[in-house]
Amino acid sequence: MAETPNPIQIQKFLGGIDYPASRETLLSRAKESGADTSVLDALQKIPDKEYDSPTAVSSAVSDA
């Protein structure tokens, strides 16, 4: 199983995103930013809802 990326790795690929943001928006931004497979997989596993901050995204990734 792939190692879950840490919050700093994930946020590096989400720079400049406007919150609130949906899971699809987060995935699109990460792909555009050249995120690696582990980051994209982690974002794919979070619940499909609106996230209001980078902290909310980090919490969802750690809970997924």
Side-chain angles (χ1 to χ4, degrees):
M1 182 159 156
E3 186 177 318
T4 302
N6 71 45
I8 294 167
Q9 287 175 296
I10 294 170
Q11 294 306 322
K12 181 172 76 172
F13 297 110
L14 298 179
I17 202 164
D18 292 324
Y19 289 95
S22 68
R23 181 180 70 184
E24 289 307 312
T25 301
L26 297 169
L27 279 164
S28 292
R29 174 55 63 107
K31 287 176 188 171
E32 290 168 9
S33 299
D36 59 33
T37 307
S38 66
V39 170
L40 295 176
D41 286 349
L43 291 173
Q44 190 69 47
K45 291 176 184 170
I46 64 176
D48 189 9
K49 64 174 195 147
E50 294 280 311
Y51 293 91
D52 60 2
S53 69
T55 305
V57 174
S58 297
S59 292
V61 168
S62 66
D63 292 344

